[in-house]
Amino acid sequence: MQEKELGEKIIQNAIVVDYGGLQQVIYDENKNAVFGNVPNGKATFKGKAQFIDEKVVLLGFLNAHHGHLITDELGKFWWILKNGTKKHKFIYFCIKNGKSISAFETLLFEIFGLNDENSIHITKPMQFSEIIIPDNSFHSENGIELERKTIDFITSKITPIKNDALYLSRRKFSKSTALEFGEEYFEEIYAKKGYKIIYPEILSPKEQLALWGGGNRFACVGGTLPHNMIFAPYGSELEIILKTSQYKDDNPCTFNQYQAIVNKIKNLQVKRIHAYIEDLPGICWGRGPFLMLPNDSLLDLDLLNKIKKDVMSYLMEYKKALMKNKLEKKPNLNELKQGFCAFKDKIKRVDFGLYESLQSEFEKFDKWVEFYFSHPKLAFLFYRIKKLPYQLLKDIKRPFQRLFK
């Protein structure tokens, strides 16, 4: 592939403002917003900014979310490889945490020669004589070779730890353990296939990069984890366990396009494992809850009981998300009934014995759905009451026994 030059945007006398959250904005010398996520009513800057007579480069909107850091934010680091760090200073925002960069970002600063002397963390309105905004190599067809050079530069600074096959688990990640059910079965399956089970959350950034750089076969649940394979050797094998039907194919509407770009950059050999049980209506792919089950026959009684518990936990989390309006789109009664029928059919296809053992739980869910759509406020009240101390709950719920089941 012939490399094409990425460009840059230059703004004279630019003002930079961090409004918090995901709202960071760059204004031109006329105080009109020209770059960033502009809050309502902030299209024009009306405040005061500290002026610094420096030419600076926008390094990025550094993000506490690891997946966006290693995709979106690395897309401007090619500029450092091309121009160095001696003639310019670099500015950055810290999205979400606001106060400091993460451990992974600290490692990146070390690798690229950034420090307190040549970089500025924007915490208040500031104006610079000139700001350079590099194009993003990750999101540009013209930037794929520069993106590869950026990644190669990072991995060249890390001594790889040789390994054959790694399974990257999310089970030490608190958000995952609360909203994703069934990964333990895949840990067991891949361990039997010779994969070493690792938990990225308990590893340092250097340890993570060393493991990614030393392997050639990887497996993990879809989401942020497979994005890490941007640091794996070219042509590595990657098995992605799909936790939601929203990742079912390469359609831009149903597949994680960030992962598609990572796959292309590193020429990954990707296999997708359709492990999800049909999503109930309204679930947001970034929030859950999610339920994953292996397709093999579940003859082991202990395993059957574990999976039954996961199915029940998944249904409880879905009820909570529905009552608390945390679904991406709230379904109506008919949509939820149809979605639940598809969900039960998928359970039946996985294992009929599992389906039969869950009949009473399915009946309870059906009754709850009817009750919720008839009396949503009362259903939520009963949910809150159910969290009261046991003896008090026992006295209160006796007249409503069926509704609490």
Side-chain angles (χ1 to χ4, degrees):
M1 181 185 294
Q2 184 177 0
E3 181 178 327
K4 297 180 181 179
E5 290 289 327
L6 290 189
E8 57 190 33
K9 184 175 184 178
I10 298 176
I11 306 173
Q12 304 293 336
N13 297 312
I15 300 169
V16 290
V17 183
D18 186 350
Y19 289 106
L22 299 174
Q23 298 175 322
Q24 292 76 31
V25 184
I26 297 179
Y27 298 88
D28 62 18
E29 58 187 348
N30 296 318
K31 298 188 175 182
N32 295 318
V34 292
F35 190 82
N37 298 316
V38 185
N40 290 334
K42 302 294 184 180
T44 301
F45 181 67
K46 297 178 182 179
K48 294 182 179 180
Q50 176 188 355
F51 179 77
I52 299 177
D53 190 12
E54 291 270 11
K55 294 182 179 180
V56 298
V57 180
L58 177 65
L59 190 58
F61 303 88
L62 301 187
N63 199 315
H65 188 285
H66 181 71
H68 286 290
L69 167 66
I70 62 177
T71 53
D72 294 317
E73 308 319 326
L74 277 181
K76 287 183 169 59
F77 278 67
W78 64 267
W79 198 96
I80 299 177
L81 293 184
K82 181 180 178 181
N83 299 285
T85 60
K86 294 182 179 180
K87 295 182 179 180
H88 294 80
K89 287 190 176 181
F90 298 82
I91 61 171
Y92 63 93
F93 301 97
C94 284
I95 297 177
K96 292 184 181 179
N97 60 12
K99 296 180 180 179
S100 60
I101 59 178
S102 68
F104 201 96
E105 290 159 347
T106 299
L107 176 60
L108 290 180
F109 272 42
E110 178 185 326
I111 289 174
F112 283 91
L114 298 170
N115 51 53
D116 292 341
E117 297 297 321
N118 60 12
S119 61
I120 301 171
H121 176 192
I122 302 300
T123 58
K124 61 183 179 181
M126 303 182 78
Q127 185 174 25
F128 298 92
S129 56
E130 180 179 285
I131 291 182
I132 298 171
I133 305 176
D135 289 340
N136 192 306
S137 60
F138 182 82
H139 291 289
S140 171
E141 279 292 329
N142 296 340
I144 190 168
E145 290 301 321
L146 286 177
E147 182 72 15
R148 286 171 176 160
K149 287 181 179 180
T150 300
I151 300 303
D152 291 347
F153 181 75
I154 294 170
T155 55
S156 72
K157 303 297 181 180
I158 305 293
T159 302
I161 298 175
K162 291 295 181 181
N163 56 84
D164 179 35
L166 295 177
Y167 180 88
L168 286 58
S169 173
R170 290 170 59 88
R171 291 182 63 222
K172 299 291 185 184
F173 181 41
S174 58
K175 179 183 176 183
S176 176
T177 56
L179 293 171
E180 296 177 7
F181 305 99
E183 187 177 9
E184 61 184 287
Y185 316 120
F186 292 94
E187 280 191 17
E188 294 177 15
I189 291 169
Y190 279 94
K192 289 177 182 177
K193 291 169 66 175
Y195 283 69
K196 181 180 179 180
I197 311 300
I198 61 169
Y199 304 95
E201 281 72 29
I202 64 175
L203 301 173
S204 71
K206 271 190 177 180
E207 289 172 324
Q208 291 180 39
L209 291 178
L211 285 170
W212 312 160
N216 53 55
R217 289 193 298 151
F218 302 89
C220 58
V221 172
T224 292
L225 272 182
H227 295 352
N228 286 286
M229 295 308 99
I230 199 168
F231 301 111
Y234 288 95
S236 293
E237 297 177 14
L238 172 62
E239 295 189 10
I240 303 177
I241 300 165
L242 303 183
K243 62 184 178 183
T244 169
S245 59
Q246 296 178 60
Y247 289 165
K248 64 186 177 184
D249 53 39
D250 285 326
N251 187 308
C253 297
T254 56
F255 184 63
N256 188 325
Q257 286 303 291
Y258 280 83
Q259 189 58 43
I261 297 171
V262 171
N263 297 345
K264 183 176 182 179
I265 289 170
K266 297 312 291 269
N267 298 323
L268 299 177
Q269 308 303 306
V270 179
K271 178 181 179 182
R272 291 193 286 280
I273 311 297
H274 292 245
Y276 58 87
I277 300 300
E278 201 66 37
D279 295 335
L280 292 179
I283 289 176
C284 174
W285 65 266
R287 296 178 189 167
F290 304 108
L291 177 64
M292 302 166 284
L293 296 181
N295 293 322
D296 298 330
S297 180
L298 309 172
L299 300 178
D300 184 280
L301 184 60
D302 289 338
L303 183 59
L304 190 83
N305 289 332
K306 288 181 183 177
I307 292 178
K308 180 178 177 181
K309 183 179 178 182
D310 277 341
V311 174
M312 293 164 61
S313 297
Y314 170 80
L315 292 176
M316 175 54 70
E317 289 299 324
Y318 182 83
K319 287 196 288 186
K320 286 162 60 177
L322 181 62
M323 287 187 290
K324 295 181 178 182
N325 293 317
K326 290 190 175 181
L327 296 177
E328 187 171 41
K329 180 183 177 183
K330 190 171 183 176
N332 59 38
L333 177 59
N334 287 334
E335 288 171 336
L336 183 48
K337 280 186 172 181
Q338 291 173 6
F340 190 49
C341 284
F343 175 87
K344 291 186 287 186
D345 287 343
K346 186 67 178 287
I347 293 286
K348 187 188 293 186
R349 291 197 298 272
V350 169
D351 187 90
F352 188 75
L354 174 65
Y355 172 80
E356 291 231 301
S357 72
L358 284 163
Q359 279 304 298
S360 62
E361 298 300 327
F362 290 158
E363 289 173 7
K364 289 177 186 177
F365 188 82
D366 277 324
K367 290 178 181 178
W368 180 88
V369 167
E370 293 282 356
F371 178 70
Y372 171 76
F373 278 93
S374 299
H375 309 283
K377 291 183 179 179
L378 194 56
F380 185 69
L381 175 62
F382 287 155
Y383 162 72
R384 298 301 298 267
I385 291 175
K386 197 171 182 179
K387 302 178 78 173
L388 292 172
Y390 177 75
Q391 189 56 49
L392 180 58
L393 172 61
K394 189 175 180 182
D395 294 337
I396 294 174
K397 83 174 187 177
R398 191 174 288 112
F400 309 101
Q401 193 68 33
R402 283 190 175 184
L403 297 178
F404 278 87
K405 288 183 178 180

